[in-house]
Amino acid sequence: MTIRILPAIGDQDAARAVSSLLNQLPDADPAPAVADSAALLDALAGAAAQGAGAAPGGAPPAAGPSAVEALPEVVLVHERIGPTPALELIREVALRFPAVGVVLITTDAGPALFSAAMDAGARGIVGLPLGYDELAARVQAAAQWSAGVRVHLGGSPEAAPGPAGTLVTVTGAKGGVGTTVTAVQLALAARAAGRSVALVDLDLQSGDVASYLDVQFRRSIVDLAGIADISVRVLQDAVHDHHTGLGLLLAPEEGERGEEVDDRAARQVIGALRARYEVVLVDCGSQMQSANAAAVELADVALLVTTPDVVAVRAAKRQVRLWDRLQIRQAEDTTTVVNRLTRNTEIQPPLVAKATGTQVARTHVPAAFKELQPCVDAGRMQDLDGRSTVRQALWALAGELGLVESPAVRREGRGSHRARPTLTGRRRKAITPGAAPGSGTAQGPAPGPASGSGSGSGLRFGARRGSTAAAGGSGPFDPAGPYEEG
């Protein structure tokens, strides 16, 4: 979201220097600097009155939502502003326009002035000479505070420039269940839908996002762990811009360095990413540490990936119980994704939901490793064929989770059997009721059992064994629903 900035600087040289730096800030919309305190107050009053639909002169502007939204998010006040002294001007702005974040620009950034400025209502201090990183950090912090105040005052939440990105965590019930493949494909689906996406590898000791996307990058999330205030430029240096459009924040190559990332660092990094990206996907691996536990706690959507076997389902149940004991997340707020499902699997999604107490995603991922193996071996998961049933399922899952505005996978002729792939990747033949399999498009019901060419079973392809979906019956095979064997 755009951050509107109004500088109040009497010195022309300082005004030019500030304007030059403000124009470099991402998502910043700086207004021309005003020269004195009276001009600043008039500009703020005029913006509020115009937003409220009243004339600038006369009675004080109303403090309704429209008036609040018309004000700039950040005001920069130079210490040499006049005729009203800077601290008194800050106090007046804070009293009359409480939804505006004020930042003081001064040569004296000592504790005494800092305390006085905070008492007056300032949201930060920037020392002279100006630096890009410090100015960007103070402006963004003041803008986030302003956005929160406006929400409470009845403003539009969509206008908030603060942490507004959707955070999705992907955790494995145990190792090898397809956690990283799921995270990567969900990120690619959201990016293909036109959203800005950051993919974070919080499997700090054995993360493989870099291997799956063929990335060699010297920066990692560890480089952000010791930074108290993550600026935009620092974040840009640590995030790798992948050619697919994804922003990648990778795990360290030296697994032992993962201990440097604690829950405080994880919260700070995730907050900085959510302020910059629309979607933040976090691969949490399968081992819970303080960093990925904090990510799961903050997540808008927490996915738990499992396979339909006894060992993996038990591991998923243990993971859910662990989250509950540590008060990280409740089972009903967790979504389980069943991976590598086949039609002959004894453990079906309803049983997984009953065993874990979680919600199970309607979209299940089929077992088709042969489709994945060439891309996995080449380390280019982004090149997975669009016709792959695994990719189609995961992109459909992205649509189910709301990561894309429209279904990412549109099958041709959704009303026909030919357009619906089975879990094995094969396509069904469109069979007209009463027609023998392989006999074309004969119309009308057959007088007797259908006799297929090379198969005399008389069962329609896709009918459940032992059910009424025999030749001429109804009930096509639904790849998204549970499967039963007679």
Side-chain angles (χ1 to χ4, degrees), residues 143-167:
Q144 291 180 10
W145 174 87
S146 173
V149 172
R150 292 172 192 227
V151 171
H152 289 291
L153 292 178
S156 173
E158 289 79 7
T166 302
L167 175 61

Side-chain angles (χ1 to χ4, degrees), residues 99-172:
V100 175
V102 184
V103 177
L104 176 63
I105 302 176
T106 178
T107 54
D108 179 18
L113 181 60
F114 181 86
S115 178
M118 296 301 105
D119 291 341
R123 302 307 308 170
I125 290 181
V126 179
L128 290 172
L130 291 174
Y132 175 88
D133 291 341
E134 185 180 10
L135 180 62
R138 298 296 172 265
V139 166
Q140 286 197 338
Q144 291 180 10
W145 174 87
S146 173
V149 172
R150 292 172 192 227
V151 171
H152 289 291
L153 292 178
S156 173
E158 289 79 7
T166 302
L167 175 61
V168 180
T169 58
V170 185
T171 308

Side-chain angles (χ1 to χ4, degrees), residues 356-380:
T356 60
T358 63
Q359 306 176 38
V360 173
R362 295 188 304 272
T363 305
H364 315 308
V365 185
F369 185 73
K370 288 184 179 180
E371 301 174 358
L372 296 173
Q373 188 169 6
C375 297
V376 171
D377 292 342
R380 297 184 61 83

Side-chain angles (χ1 to χ4, degrees), residues 234-250:
V234 170
L235 190 64
Q236 288 176 339
D237 290 341
V239 174
H240 174 70
D241 293 325
H242 197 253
H243 65 84
T244 58
L246 299 178
L248 303 180
L249 187 55
L250 305 173

